[in-house]
Amino acid sequence: MWGCRVGSASRSCLLHIPSSLSLPDLSYVSFEELLQMQNGMGMRTHRVTAGKKTAHPAPSRVFSFRPLEMSAKKRVPFLRRVVPVTKKVGRDPRFDDLSGEYNPEIFLKTYGFLDSIKKREKEMVQKQLKKCRNVEEKEKLQQLLRRMELFECWCSRDKPGREQQGGLGLQRFTGFSLNLPSLSSAAEKRKLELAEKYAELKRSGKLESFLSKKRKRNAIKDKRRLPSQKSL
Amino acid sequence: MLQGRITASVGLNVAKLQDEVCRHLASILVDNAPAKWLQQQDLTFLVGEEERAEEEAFEDGLVAERLKEDVLEQKGRLQRPVAKDVQPPDPDIIRVLRGHQQPITCLVISPDDKFIFSAAKDCSIIKWEVESGKRLCVVPRGKKGTEEQQAGHTAHILCMAISSDGKYLATGDRNKLIMIWEAATCKHLYKFTGHRDAVSGLSFQKGTHQLYSASHDRSVKVWNVAENAYIETLFGHQDVITGLDSLSRECCVTSGGRDGTVRIWKIPEESQLVFYGHQGSIDCIQLINEEHMVSGADDGSVALWGLTKKKPLAVVRQAHGTHGSHSLQQPYWISAVAALLNSDLVATGSHSANVKLWKSGEGFRKLEPLFDIPVVGFVNSLKFSAAGDFLVAGLGQEHRLGRWWRIKEAKNSICIIPLKRKAGVADSS
């Protein structure tokens, strides 16, 4: 009717004609004739062929007050579902994806505050041990103190290795001109640890007792190796 | 062509122009408008006055009214305004028929309003004649040895139903049995087994011999009595079914007790509509017309339901009041509800020493109290007659389902309460 020229792309989207169809040039066809064409095809087929999923409008929220319709043939379970209670699923942070990847450096940094707390607790236990008169209680406190010390030792033993690796890592990344040290083997690591232990024992003055214990243990082991008197 | 297009685009609805002036303008338009466009318009208002008078006369005719009523009834929207004409009855015209030894559990009225069938906790069924109040037939409880000769129930009868042609009577008891009797002679016909727990609801489809039964095993079963056949089972309730009712459509409504739902079972489509919103255990239900029902619960609330809304249209809480000591006030349980078919009159019964009558408002959106009828005892069953002339209440000393209370002053009997209408109002039925 108006006979104006409109771009074919815009017109096709107005009339929901799929772009995949190869159409003749519609730019010189009047709107009236286009509408007639569409009326001939019908809006529903248009929508369906244009790729829209349903020809029906989406259900409005008005229908939420209607009664629920269900199948009458499904058997009902014996136990009645009165209140929908969901079981509390326990989460293990070690294996849960939510916790992310374990990064020892970050872990130590974030939980580093616990070291001071542990130190304070150890001091408290030591004080209590001094004050305590009861034999049973004293034994318990001594065990507790020993456990705390062992745990501290275990934790601190791991740290230097890591620090070393961290140091190595740092060295690795700073500049390519440096002579990179060879990655220490297990034997060398053990040697380093041994040296450290010697230094510590010497410092604390327990070197003699430790060495004597070690000699005794080695002697017993060697005696087992020797042929016994009975076999003679 | 151009003129037609203009009027169409402007949206002029010619049929609405009923005024004289407008009619004049319309006639001008009609003269000038094209023929094709005229054909599409409704021009009945231009018909001459004589013809219109004839039409109106026809419309006022009884035939048309009756047809209109039928259509409304089918659709489920018929609501005859009966409640405003009902008057409270005098206490001396209320008849009490005694015959049962133990509390009455259920009763039905025959479709011609001539007989009443009642059953009690002593497992007997009695057929009464309404006019004289005489006992016509007594079916005693079944004895252990004589099951073939003398058929009878051996456990409490919880529900009864009578077919709309008055031919078959069905009774269900706590022993999972449904017994079919011939209503005229009280002769035992068939026994339907299949339920796995007490049968708590029975109803015939109006106009047919199809029987619906509901049980404490949470299932609804469909039977055909004429052919002595079981048809199908429907599931869905989460708790024991406490009541069942049906009208002429092939669907029935059940009340689900503690699961708090009222379900409509559409049998040909094998689907159910779930309604909820009633607190407490829903104990009794009755259909008012094809699309509305009334239910009563043990927290004292009475609710009116419509098919289109999942929540009740109207709720009256603590309909019969409360009882108990000062700090432990408990609402009276609603043990029976009844509704006059296709009207706005509803009756509820409890053990509060009266039967309350209610009027449902326009579109069943309100429930207003009318008056009380004093009775003594537990009202275990309430039924309106088909014509709405009288209301029958089955009374007992105990509740029909258990022995939580016992009212010593009550008598185990049937009360026939005539309902008088105001003088000068023609009975339309």
Side-chain angles (χ1 to χ4, degrees), chain A residues 1 32 64-82, chain B residues 218 232-238 258 265-266 270-275 307-310:
Chain A
M1 200 156 78
E32 197 178 34
S64 67
F65 59 77
R66 285 195 179 257
L68 178 68
E69 184 148 359
M70 333 189 321
S71 160
K73 285 294 187 177
K74 285 199 195 138
R75 279 187 191 259
V76 181
F78 182 74
L79 293 172
R80 197 177 7 144
R81 203 163 170 265
V82 180
Chain B
R218 307 177 291 182
E232 62 175 341
T233 312
L234 304 159
F235 306 97
H237 268 293
Q238 308 262 350
R258 280 262 157 237
W265 305 87
K266 292 193 205 164
E270 289 184 359
S271 78
Q272 52 177 307
L273 294 172
V274 183
F275 302 81
L307 275 193
T308 50
K309 262 185 82 179
K310 69 181 177 195

Side-chain angles (χ1 to χ4, degrees), chain A residues 115-178:
Chain A
D115 293 339
S116 56
I117 297 171
K118 277 185 200 153
K119 227 175 162 185
R120 248 187 288 141
E121 279 179 353
K122 197 174 159 194
E123 281 165 21
M124 268 169 65
V125 171
Q126 279 170 341
K127 271 191 206 165
Q128 270 202 336
L129 191 64
K130 269 192 207 166
K131 279 191 201 170
C132 191
R133 301 284 165 220
N134 193 357
V135 180
E136 280 176 16
E137 258 194 69
K138 220 175 179 176
E139 268 186 42
K140 276 192 193 166
L141 283 171
Q142 275 173 351
Q143 276 178 13
L144 183 63
L145 192 65
R146 196 154 176 277
R147 262 220 313 274
M148 282 174 142
E149 283 173 354
L150 276 172
F151 186 75
E152 215 187 294
C153 187
W154 180 77
C155 282
S156 61
R157 188 157 57 105
D158 287 339
K159 268 189 199 164
R162 278 207 203 99
E163 274 179 16
Q164 269 192 4
Q165 276 180 17
L168 283 170
L170 278 170
Q171 276 186 10
R172 243 182 265 142
F173 287 109
T174 54
F176 295 99
S177 57
L178 282 171

Side-chain angles (χ1 to χ4, degrees), chain A residues 6-212:
Chain A
V6 182
S8 58
S10 55
R11 203 182 291 178
S12 61
C13 62
L14 276 173
L15 295 175
H16 305 285
I17 301 165
S19 50
S20 54
L21 278 179
S22 56
L23 293 166
D25 189 18
L26 289 173
S27 40
Y28 289 102
V29 178
S30 63
F31 257 119
E32 197 178 34
E33 281 163 55
L34 272 172
L35 279 169
Q36 274 178 5
M37 216 170 73
Q38 194 181 38
N39 283 334
M41 256 186 83
M43 271 311 292
R44 197 169 271 208
T45 44
H46 253 288
R47 282 208 199 136
V48 169
T49 51
K52 286 210 181 161
K53 278 186 186 168
T54 47
H56 305 285
S60 60
R61 283 198 67 209
V62 170
F63 296 131
S64 67
F65 59 77
R66 285 195 179 257
L68 178 68
E69 184 148 359
M70 333 189 321
S71 160
K73 285 294 187 177
K74 285 199 195 138
R75 279 187 191 259
V76 181
F78 182 74
L79 293 172
R80 197 177 7 144
R81 203 163 170 265
V82 180
V83 176
V85 175
T86 50
K87 252 173 48 177
K88 274 195 175 170
V89 182
R91 238 189 91 228
D92 193 340
R94 292 176 294 173
F95 306 111
D96 205 352
D97 288 332
L98 262 180
S99 353
E101 290 290 321
Y102 172 65
N103 196 340
E105 289 170 8
I106 297 174
F107 179 83
L108 287 170
K109 258 194 212 167
T110 49
Y111 294 103
F113 67 95
L114 288 172
D115 293 339
S116 56
I117 297 171
K118 277 185 200 153
K119 227 175 162 185
R120 248 187 288 141
E121 279 179 353
K122 197 174 159 194
E123 281 165 21
M124 268 169 65
V125 171
Q126 279 170 341
K127 271 191 206 165
Q128 270 202 336
L129 191 64
K130 269 192 207 166
K131 279 191 201 170
C132 191
R133 301 284 165 220
N134 193 357
V135 180
E136 280 176 16
E137 258 194 69
K138 220 175 179 176
E139 268 186 42
K140 276 192 193 166
L141 283 171
Q142 275 173 351
Q143 276 178 13
L144 183 63
L145 192 65
R146 196 154 176 277
R147 262 220 313 274
M148 282 174 142
E149 283 173 354
L150 276 172
F151 186 75
E152 215 187 294
C153 187
W154 180 77
C155 282
S156 61
R157 188 157 57 105
D158 287 339
K159 268 189 199 164
R162 278 207 203 99
E163 274 179 16
Q164 269 192 4
Q165 276 180 17
L168 283 170
L170 278 170
Q171 276 186 10
R172 243 182 265 142
F173 287 109
T174 54
F176 295 99
S177 57
L178 282 171
N179 286 332
L180 299 170
S182 58
L183 287 162
S184 52
S185 63
E188 283 183 42
K189 271 192 204 155
R190 248 183 276 141
K191 266 193 191 169
L192 281 166
E193 274 182 41
L194 213 69
E196 258 193 62
K197 207 173 182 181
Y198 179 80
E200 249 228 56
L201 284 167
K202 202 166 184 187
R203 194 169 44 82
S204 56
K206 292 184 186 159
L207 188 66
E208 276 301 319
S209 66
F210 179 77
L211 280 173
S212 61

Side-chain angles (χ1 to χ4, degrees), chain B residues 402-417:
Chain B
R403 307 187 73 189
W404 298 280
W405 303 278
R406 190 160 169 263
I407 300 175
K408 275 192 198 164
E409 302 85 39
K411 309 268 183 253
N412 303 319
S413 54
I414 299 174
C415 258
I416 302 179
I417 304 158

